[in-house]
Amino acid sequence: MIQDIYPHIYRNEYKPKAPQKESFLLIYKGREALLKESEEICFPTFGEMELYDSALCEKCTYLFSVDNQSFYLAEDFYGDIEGYCWKDAEMFRRLKPQHLAFAGITGCQLHRWYQSHKFCGRCGRKMVKDDRERMLKCEHCGQMEYPKISPAVIVGVTDGNRLLMSKYAGREYKKYALIAGYAEIGETIEETVKREVMEEVGLKVKNIRFYKSQPWSFTDTLLLGFFADLDGEDKITLDKEELALAEWFEREDIPITERNISLTNEMILYFKEKKNIDI
Ligand SMILES: [Zn+2]
């Protein structure tokens, strides 16, 4: 999955410090990132970009490190520079190396958060960065804002040797997926699993087992993957607003998608490859 970057280590302790010449700069414009023109992901360094903006240091916010390499967000830096190009953040799904793809999309989530919390939502004054934790605060009214992370579930609904697979309605993603949805306020994550399965396909589930989680910065989400057994009737009642189709697949008939960065795909492969039915 995209966050599995071993032997590299992602360090997100918030310890702001001044950038060094070799620090990587993450520069975004909307959902585009500035990269060196190259087949692989290559971020500009502070030393390279300093030449184009003498006030660059003040525009930089420390984000995180991977191993000993520090990453900074450079805000309001929109120049077109020879040898660099703007690329849509979706490319972090496929370009290598993976530890830089993970850093790039994680930085993009933080960029969107900083951009959309410049002013206090309560009193409208300017927010300032806290120096002890990754938090924005309003010095006038005391409002505090933390990075936006929305919990969501992915559910592999199983019935013995069968797995329920679905396709989204009205989305570009055309491959088979599993039932998924965001947690609502006031419910446990297990209740989210039951509600989403009922809403999307009209089925009851039991024996809900946690599988793995995944930070999914493309949509500011923390994905929580579960398997759950069908409880009772297997007749699907489709929510056509959400899904184009949903159907049961015998384990051996499950369509294969290449291994990729998503938890959904890992869960589908895990079920298909598992000889033991009782996962
Ligand atoms: Zn305020």
Side-chain angles (χ1 to χ4, degrees):
M1 294 188 279
I2 194 166
Q3 76 276 14
D4 297 328
I5 60 170
Y6 183 83
H8 300 287
I9 296 171
Y10 170 59
R11 302 175 188 277
N12 68 351
E13 308 87 33
Y14 188 70
K15 289 184 180 159
K17 53 193 171 187
Q20 307 290 307
K21 294 243 183 266
E22 65 278 12
S23 300
F24 277 149
L25 286 192
L26 299 179
I27 304 173
Y28 303 95
K29 187 169 62 175
R31 288 191 70 92
E32 293 183 323
L34 189 70
L35 298 182
K36 277 188 190 167
E37 283 174 354
S38 160
E39 293 286 297
E40 294 212 323
I41 297 167
C42 194
F43 296 116
T45 64
F46 180 78
E48 289 163 352
M49 291 297 119
E50 198 178 26
L51 305 171
Y52 299 95
D53 190 339
S54 54
L56 185 59
C57 201
E58 290 88 78
K59 295 180 179 177
C60 285
T61 304
Y62 174 74
L63 295 182
F64 48 75
S65 299
V66 174
D67 305 326
N68 292 319
Q69 177 71 47
S70 300
F71 289 76
Y72 287 79
L73 180 66
E75 292 169 277
D76 305 320
F77 185 98
Y78 297 137
D80 286 324
I81 295 163
E82 201 180 329
Y84 294 85
C85 56
W86 295 101
K87 287 191 180 173
D88 193 288
E90 288 297 302
M91 57 82 195
F92 290 126
R93 288 173 185 255
R94 53 189 168 78
L95 290 192
K96 301 280 183 229
Q98 191 166 321
H99 68 288
L100 294 186
F102 176 65
I105 196 60
T106 305
C108 188
Q109 178 175 359
L110 285 163
H111 154 71
R112 291 196 306 275
W113 176 66
Y114 280 119
Q115 285 284 308
S116 56
H117 292 82
K118 288 182 174 174
F119 300 96
C120 176
R122 185 193 281 160
C123 78
R125 289 176 171 79
K126 211 159 192 268
M127 298 294 268
V128 295
K129 291 171 187 135
D130 189 69
D131 51 14
R132 283 170 303 161
E133 56 183 336
R134 204 185 314 273
M135 182 258 282
L136 291 166
K137 62 188 175 188
C138 174
E139 291 180 323
H140 179 75
C141 76
Q143 175 82 348
M144 296 184 289
E145 295 287 350
Y146 289 89
K148 179 185 172 190
I149 305 173
S150 306
V153 297
I154 294 177
V155 193
V157 181
T158 62
D159 178 28
N161 200 46
R162 299 192 299 168
L163 178 67
L164 183 72
M165 297 180 69
S166 56
K167 286 189 176 181
Y168 294 117
R171 286 204 215 169
E172 233 171 80
Y173 190 79
K174 297 292 181 206
K175 294 188 177 124
Y176 278 99
L178 301 174
I179 301 297
Y182 287 101
E184 294 281 359
I185 286 175
E187 69 185 4
T188 66
I189 205 73
E190 294 83 355
E191 286 166 344
T192 309
V193 169
K194 289 185 177 177
R195 179 180 53 74
E196 284 293 339
V197 176
M198 179 54 73
E199 283 178 7
E200 293 195 1
V201 287
L203 298 174
K204 282 188 183 174
V205 290
K206 61 182 179 183
N207 193 18
I208 297 165
R209 291 96 73 198
F210 176 66
Y211 174 66
K212 284 182 188 175
S213 64
Q214 177 178 44
W216 192 247
S217 291
F218 295 94
T219 52
D220 302 340
T221 307
L222 176 63
L223 296 170
L224 302 158
F226 294 87
F227 284 101
D229 296 338
L230 174 70
D231 183 11
E233 279 292 309
D234 68 351
K235 188 174 173 298
I236 295 164
T237 309
L238 203 63
D239 175 357
K240 292 192 173 130
E241 300 255 308
E242 288 280 326
L243 298 179
L245 69 90
E247 53 190 319
W248 292 103
F249 278 89
E250 294 290 336
R251 193 183 305 260
E252 42 284 1
D253 298 333
I254 291 173
I256 293 279
T257 306
E258 278 175 48
R259 262 178 214 286
N260 66 20
I261 56 170
S262 75
L263 175 60
T264 296
N265 197 52
E266 180 175 308
M267 287 176 67
I268 292 169
L269 288 175
Y270 181 81
F271 180 82
K272 184 174 174 73
E273 291 168 2
K274 196 86 176 165
K275 299 284 180 254
N276 179 2
I277 286 172
D278 186 25
I279 56 173

